[in-house]
Amino acid sequence: MSFLIVYQASNQTGRAVGQVAGINIASFTAELGGKAPILVFDDADIPSAVNGVAFASFIASGQTCVSGTRIIVQDGIYDSFISALVEKTESIRSRMGNPMNPQSTMGPIISEHHLKRIEGILSRMKGKVLCGGYRLTGASPLDGFDYTHGSFLAPTIIEGVSYTDELWQEEVFGPVIVVQRFKDVEEGVAVANDCKYGLGAGIWTSNLARAHRVAADIQTGLCWVNTHHRNDPSSPWGGMKESGIGRENGIEAFESYSQSKSTIVNTSALEEMRKDDWFSVSDTPRRYG
């Protein structure tokens, strides 16, 4: 009998479970943290990319393991793209309301405890807040819902944080993104890879040949091109670096849940089989293997 442990957890928990798996000689598959970069190239269609980045970043209030959190935009469209993204984000904020209202754009943070953790990260960061960055209070302009009945944070865009900043390196797990510019492909890939996590990433470009080259160089287990969050059960899902080990979905997952086995059968005739006597009295040289 063999054992396989499959879990989704924080890096700290992942290391602890991994130690237990090692002690018990058990295999394990782990999906851990994420800090997905999204590269937006000069030739991307700005309206489509803005909509895609907003979806990648703020769906489920940014509380998914592959949420777009580091938005890396090429110089040529940086200003126009960021302006449009801020406008889109403000529109999302203005239409937040009762989570049971189908017209509400975004829900609350999972708990008061987690919201306070996010507020702590925001209080320590050194960047510039372009929009959001505060807890919602009072009544929703959408439907009058009282925001104090939940842990609501306005969707947040921050510019100018350093690559060593906690906000760039650590998973926030909330509707908080950082934006950064890049000059060329080499710099963009380097910036995208400047993080300990490697679960998901996104690329927005009209040049699919470049998209494939960049996707190959980005150190993540998943990479979307001109979309985000889409998944096919036949496509393997898992991370690189500190984002985990092993794969879910696809043939890779099937293989991880099973073990291969070799059965070797001697089909020689009986007379030949009787000659197979390693310890026979003979001067013939013998060689194992």
Side-chain angles (χ1 to χ4, degrees):
M1 180 180 291
S2 62
F3 296 92
L4 173 66
I5 302 170
V6 181
Y7 59 97
Q8 183 177 19
S10 68
N11 289 50
Q12 182 179 5
T13 302
R15 289 187 176 92
V17 174
Q19 289 178 341
V20 173
I23 291 172
N24 289 277
I25 319 297
S27 300
F28 68 98
T29 296
E31 182 191 307
L32 306 178
K35 194 74 178 175
I38 300 182
L39 283 167
V40 184
F41 286 92
D42 282 347
D43 63 349
D45 177 65
I46 292 180
S48 299
V50 166
N51 293 338
V53 167
F55 176 70
S57 304
F58 300 129
I59 191 71
S61 304
Q63 297 170 112
T64 81
C65 52
V66 292
S67 289
T69 56
R70 296 180 295 131
I71 315 306
I72 306 162
V73 185
Q74 198 163 17
D75 284 333
I77 62 168
Y78 183 86
D79 292 335
S80 55
F81 178 87
I82 296 301
S83 176
L85 182 61
V86 168
E87 182 180 355
K88 181 75 173 183
T89 303
E90 291 286 10
S91 172
I92 294 171
R93 180 203 55 75
S94 69
R95 292 175 290 127
M96 290 174 63
N98 188 329
M100 300 301 291
N101 183 349
Q103 300 303 314
S104 179
T105 51
M106 200 178 83
I109 302 302
I110 187 64
S111 68
E112 179 70 17
H113 173 78
H114 188 52
L115 175 56
K116 289 182 177 179
R117 173 183 173 270
I118 296 174
E119 290 177 321
I121 294 173
L122 293 175
S123 70
R124 294 188 293 272
M125 69 88 187
K126 304 298 183 183
K128 176 184 177 183
V129 178
L130 299 182
C131 66
Y134 55 88
R135 180 175 188 155
L136 296 183
T137 58
S140 162
L142 174 71
D143 55 18
F145 179 78
D146 185 353
Y147 288 129
T148 61
H149 291 167
S151 305
F152 289 86
L153 181 73
T156 302
I157 302 176
I158 296 173
E159 182 181 54
V161 301
S162 72
Y163 299 142
T164 59
D165 195 290
E166 177 182 18
L167 200 53
W168 182 271
Q169 292 291 335
E170 297 297 334
E171 185 175 41
V172 176
F173 217 70
V176 179
I177 65 176
V178 292
V179 294
Q180 183 62 267
R181 63 173 72 231
F182 72 97
K183 180 178 61 177
D184 52 28
V185 171
E186 289 72 24
E187 182 183 18
V189 170
V191 172
N193 288 336
D194 191 5
C195 183
K196 64 184 178 182
Y197 294 112
L199 184 56
I203 300 168
W204 287 85
T205 179
S206 61
N207 186 332
L208 292 184
R210 176 168 60 189
H212 279 288
R213 292 195 301 270
V214 173
D217 290 338
I218 292 180
Q219 297 165 355
T220 59
L222 300 154
C223 191
W224 289 278
V225 177
N226 297 335
T227 188
H228 207 90
H229 287 299
R230 296 178 186 272
N231 184 35
D232 186 311
S234 66
S235 177
W237 180 287
M240 296 181 181
K241 299 192 284 190
E242 291 192 27
S243 283
I245 186 170
R247 293 292 182 268
E248 300 172 83
N249 295 347
I251 190 66
E252 290 83 357
F254 174 79
E255 290 175 347
S256 72
Y257 279 89
S258 58
Q259 287 189 322
S260 61
K261 181 177 182 177
S262 296
T263 301
I264 298 89
V265 179
N266 186 347
T267 59
S268 301
L270 183 59
E271 292 182 359
E272 290 298 318
M273 194 178 299
R274 287 180 176 177
K275 296 177 181 178
D276 187 11
D277 180 2
W278 179 270
F279 295 104
S280 63
V281 179
S282 172
D283 294 330
T284 303
R286 294 174 173 81
R287 183 175 181 275
Y288 178 78

